[in-house]
Amino acid sequence: MSTEAEMVELPQVHAIEPIPAHVSRELVRPFPYVLGAKTKAKPHSFIKAIHEGPEVFWAERCFNGVRGAWVPRRVEDLQRIYRDTEHYTSRGFAPFADLVGDTWYFVPAELDPPMHSLLRAAINPLFTPKRMAALEDKIRSYARECVATFRDRGSCEFLSDFAFEFPVKVFLELMGLPQNRVKQFLAWEHGLLHEPDIEKIKDATRSVVACVREEIEDRRVSPRDDFITFGVQAEVEGRKFDDNELVGFCFNLFLGGLDTVSSNMGMQVLHLAERPDHQAILRANPAMIPDAIDEMMRAYAAVATSRECIKETKIGNVTVKPGDKVHMATFLAARDPAVYPRPEEVILDRKPRHVSFGYGPHLCIGMHLARREMRIALEELLSCLPEFSLKPGVEMSYYLAAVIQPVELPLVWKV
Amino acid sequence: MAKITYVQPDDRAQTFDVPAGHSLMEGAFRNNVEGIIAECGGACACGTCQVFIDPAWAECVDKPRPLEQSMIEEVDAGKGNLRLSCQISVTDALDGLVVRVPTKQR
C-alpha cells in the first residue's frame, strides 16, 4: 500500500506561505487537492481518510497553490459558511485579476451584499429555466456534432474529443462569438486552470481579458442578441455596469461554464465506462439520466471555491480570524458519511441533496444550463454509441485542482 | 403560528402549523412537502421552491423584491401569483393561507 505522498505528484513552488501563529499545529493536515497536483490513484480516494480526521483542518498550499486555508469537510459546515456573509467575503476567491495587477472581480461570484443581489438580479434573466429550455435543440446539435466526429472510429479521447469542446461551443453561441474560436478558448481555459507555471496562468488571464474587452467594445457599437450585449445594456441602480463589472461578468461566465462542466462530464463518463451495468440501466431508461447525473455530481464533485474571513468566527471549536482563507471543497462535503450512507457508492436513484453547485446566495447561477448540457451529453452518448469502456491497458491520471479532472479519458467501443 | 395548506398538482392538500418567522419554504421543507426542492437553502438563488399563492390571499402577502422578481417574472408570465416560498415570511396574519405546488420546479 503506497502512502498518499507517493501517490500524489505535487508541483515545486518557490515559497509556501508560513502557517499563521494562531493555527494549531495539530490541525495542519495533508491535503492533496492543491493547484498543479496530479495523481494516478482514483482522485476521490483520499477523501475517506479526511473524513476520519478533524471537522475542520488547516491545509497548506490549497489557495492559489501557495497559501494555506481552513478546510471544512462536513455538509453542515459548508452550507453554513456559504450562507454566512457576515463573517466571510467572497471577494478574492480566484487569483486571476490579482496575478496580473487588475482591479476587476468576478461578477456575480465575488460580490458581497448588498451589491451581490443587485447585480445577480440584473443577470438572472439570462439563466431562467425557460431561456435555457429554448437552447435545448441548439445544445443537442452541438453534442451530436461532437459525437459524429468519432462514432464510427470506435474510440475517442473523451476529454478533448467531447468534454471540453462541447461546452465551449455552447459558450461561444451564448456569447455571440464565432465557432471557429473553439481551439483558442480551449487553450486559454487550460492556461487558466491546469498550468502549474504561474507565468502561463498570467498570460492566459491577460489574453482572456483582452479578448473580453474587445468584444465589449464591439457590442457597444453593434449590439446583438447575446450575453455580452446583455451585459453592456444591463443596469444596476439606474446605471450601466462599470468596466470592472463587465470584465468580471464575462470572465465569470468563461470560468464558470467551461472546465467545471467538462470535469463533471469526464467523471460521469468514466464512471459509466467502468460500470457497464449502470450504462445498460441508463440506456434502457433515459428518464433516469437526470437523477443519475445528480448522484454522479455528488459522488464525483469536482469543484472547490473559497471564502475569506472578515470578522472573527468559529468553525466547530476552531477560531477563524480575519484574513484567513476557507477552502470550500464541495468534493469533501459530497462524501460526508454523516449525510450520505455508503458515500463512495454511486446509487443511481439516490436523489441526493448535494452542494456540488454550492449553496446559499452564490449557488451556481448557470446550474440550469449545466444540468441541461450534462443531460443532453449523456443522452446523446448513450443513444449514439454502443457499450463503451476504458481503452484496455490505459493508466489513468487525474488533476486534483483547480478542479478534479481526468488528464485523458480514452474510450473504446465496437463498430 | 399559522396554518398553511400546501396543495399538490393532483389536488392533494396538506395543512401544517408553521411558526411565525419561518418562511413558507421552511414550513414545506420541515414537513417534507413534495415538490419543494429549495436547492440553495432559502437564499433566493435557485428558483426551486416556487408556489402559487391562492388568489384570495394575494393581497395579504408582501410583494416580491427585485432579486426574487428577476427569477419569477418569465415563468409567471404576468399572472402575478407565482412566488419563491423562501421569500415569504410566515406571520399570524397568514393563518389559513393556501398555496399550490407547481408540477415542476426547473
Side-chain angles (χ1 to χ4, degrees):
Chain A
M1 178 101 183
S2 23
T3 65
E4 188 174 288
E6 288 163 348
M7 291 158 78
V8 177
E9 179 193 329
L10 281 171
Q12 295 298 312
V13 287
H14 298 300
I16 298 172
E17 290 193 13
I19 300 164
H22 66 278
V23 174
S24 156
R25 294 307 183 266
E26 282 173 22
L27 287 177
V28 179
R29 298 295 166 109
F31 187 70
Y33 302 94
V34 303
L35 199 65
K38 280 198 224 172
T39 186
K40 289 186 163 55
K42 289 277 186 190
H44 294 79
S45 63
F46 309 104
I47 295 171
K48 192 170 185 213
I50 291 172
H51 279 295
E52 285 158 8
E55 287 173 4
V56 58
F57 56 95
W58 183 267
E60 292 186 278
R61 298 179 64 173
C62 70
F63 182 77
N64 208 2
V66 291
R67 184 166 168 189
W70 292 112
V71 186
R73 61 170 177 80
R74 303 188 311 158
V75 170
E76 190 185 320
D77 287 326
L78 270 88
Q79 286 182 335
R80 193 173 41 75
I81 296 165
Y82 279 128
R83 297 203 61 170
D84 183 355
T85 52
E86 181 191 346
H87 297 96
Y88 299 99
T89 175
S90 294
R91 192 61 72 89
F93 100 38
F96 304 106
D98 268 0
L99 281 175
V100 296
D102 280 358
T103 53
W104 53 268
Y105 40 84
F106 281 54
V107 172
E110 284 189 285
L111 292 167
D112 291 320
M115 281 312 287
H116 174 252
S117 64
L118 294 173
L119 279 152
R120 184 139 172 159
I123 297 166
N124 265 335
L126 283 178
F127 290 100
T128 55
K130 193 174 169 187
R131 195 168 168 132
M132 295 299 112
L135 294 167
E136 175 90 7
D137 293 346
K138 196 87 194 179
I139 297 176
R140 193 174 298 281
S141 74
Y142 288 138
R144 283 196 180 151
E145 261 174 40
C146 286
V147 177
T149 63
F150 53 70
R151 183 183 45 208
D152 299 335
R153 206 162 75 202
S155 68
C156 74
E157 195 288 279
F158 183 73
L159 271 297
S160 57
D161 289 338
F162 189 96
F164 288 124
E165 193 152 328
F166 166 58
V168 171
K169 282 171 180 264
V170 177
F171 173 81
L172 292 174
E173 164 80 21
L174 294 173
M175 299 299 269
L177 295 165
Q179 291 291 323
N180 63 16
R181 299 187 73 175
V182 167
K183 296 284 176 242
Q184 176 70 79
F185 275 78
L186 284 172
W188 288 339
E189 182 186 342
H190 184 87
L192 290 176
L193 293 170
H194 293 294
E195 280 292 349
D197 178 354
I198 209 100
E199 292 306 320
K200 289 192 174 153
I201 301 176
K202 288 182 188 173
D203 286 345
T205 305
R206 289 191 196 100
S207 301
V208 173
V209 170
C211 163
V212 156
R213 286 190 193 280
E214 196 177 306
E215 296 299 327
I216 289 169
E217 284 317 311
D218 174 74
R219 296 313 186 283
R220 285 195 215 275
V221 181
S222 30
R224 294 184 244 155
D225 181 18
D226 62 36
F227 279 27
I228 301 179
T229 305
F230 182 94
V232 166
Q233 296 176 344
E235 293 199 352
V236 58
E237 292 187 305
R239 64 165 175 85
K240 299 271 193 261
F241 284 17
D242 66 25
D243 187 61
N244 277 338
E245 287 163 348
L246 269 177
V247 172
F249 166 67
C250 294
F251 209 99
N252 202 155
L253 290 170
F254 179 70
L255 207 71
L258 299 183
D259 214 53
T260 49
V261 180
S262 308
S263 296
N264 275 285
M265 288 195 309
M267 294 305 297
Q268 289 162 16
V269 167
L270 170 62
H271 174 85
L272 294 176
E274 292 184 318
R275 288 292 300 268
D277 56 329
H278 282 180
Q279 248 185 83
I281 290 170
L282 296 183
R283 242 188 217 101
N285 309 280
M288 288 177 66
I289 290 176
D291 284 341
I293 286 174
D294 266 305
E295 167 65 348
M296 291 190 281
M297 278 196 73
R298 176 200 68 79
Y300 303 117
V303 178
T305 59
S306 75
R307 293 291 185 270
E308 186 171 316
C309 177
I310 46 173
K311 185 174 171 187
E312 186 169 308
T313 184
K314 288 195 172 250
I315 305 174
N317 294 322
V318 169
T319 300
V320 180
K321 295 209 177 254
D324 287 358
K325 289 280 183 190
V326 179
H327 192 67
M328 303 292 280
T330 64
F331 45 84
L332 297 184
R335 295 189 175 210
D336 180 349
V339 176
Y340 309 108
R342 294 178 291 162
E344 287 76 27
E345 196 176 329
V346 170
I347 303 168
L348 293 178
D349 58 356
R350 189 197 290 260
K351 299 180 189 167
R353 291 179 67 82
H354 59 65
V355 293
S356 304
F357 281 120
Y359 191 77
H362 285 280
L363 182 83
C364 175
I365 196 169
M367 71 169 180
H368 299 301
L369 173 61
R371 281 205 171 97
R372 191 169 294 273
E373 289 181 347
M374 291 186 286
R375 170 177 59 74
I376 291 173
L378 285 194
E379 284 170 358
E380 290 300 316
L381 288 163
L382 290 169
S383 66
C384 295
L385 301 181
E387 183 181 297
F388 53 84
S389 55
L390 268 180
K391 185 180 172 186
V394 75
E395 188 181 31
M396 293 291 294
S397 66
Y398 305 86
Y399 295 110
L400 291 174
V403 285
I404 298 173
Q405 188 176 90
V407 176
E408 287 191 330
L409 178 47
L411 299 178
V412 292
W413 55 90
K414 290 200 175 96
V415 284
Chain B
M1 192 77 85
K3 284 199 188 304
I4 308 289
T5 301
Y6 300 88
V7 185
Q8 293 295 326
D10 63 2
D11 292 334
R12 270 180 303 126
Q14 297 167 287
T15 302
F16 302 102
D17 288 325
V18 180
H22 282 199
S23 69
L24 287 181
M25 181 279 285
E26 285 172 287
F29 195 74
R30 284 162 193 257
N31 291 296
N32 298 314
V33 172
E34 268 172 64
I36 301 289
I37 305 172
E39 189 160 3
C40 74
C44 200
C46 65
T48 62
C49 67
Q50 300 165 26
V51 293
F52 293 99
I53 305 292
D54 187 290
W57 287 86
E59 295 303 313
C60 308
V61 177
D62 289 341
K63 295 282 168 263
R65 287 179 295 168
L67 181 59
E68 182 188 355
Q69 191 64 42
S70 72
M71 303 188 68
I72 57 176
E73 56 195 354
E74 200 179 50
V75 192
D76 196 30
K79 290 191 290 292
N81 63 339
L82 181 72
R83 296 294 305 270
L84 297 183
S85 58
C86 71
Q87 298 301 299
I88 298 174
S89 187
V90 170
T91 61
D92 294 345
L94 292 182
D95 190 32
L97 175 67
V98 178
V99 299
R100 295 190 76 93
V101 179
T103 46
K104 62 179 192 138
Q105 293 284 359
R106 53 189 181 218

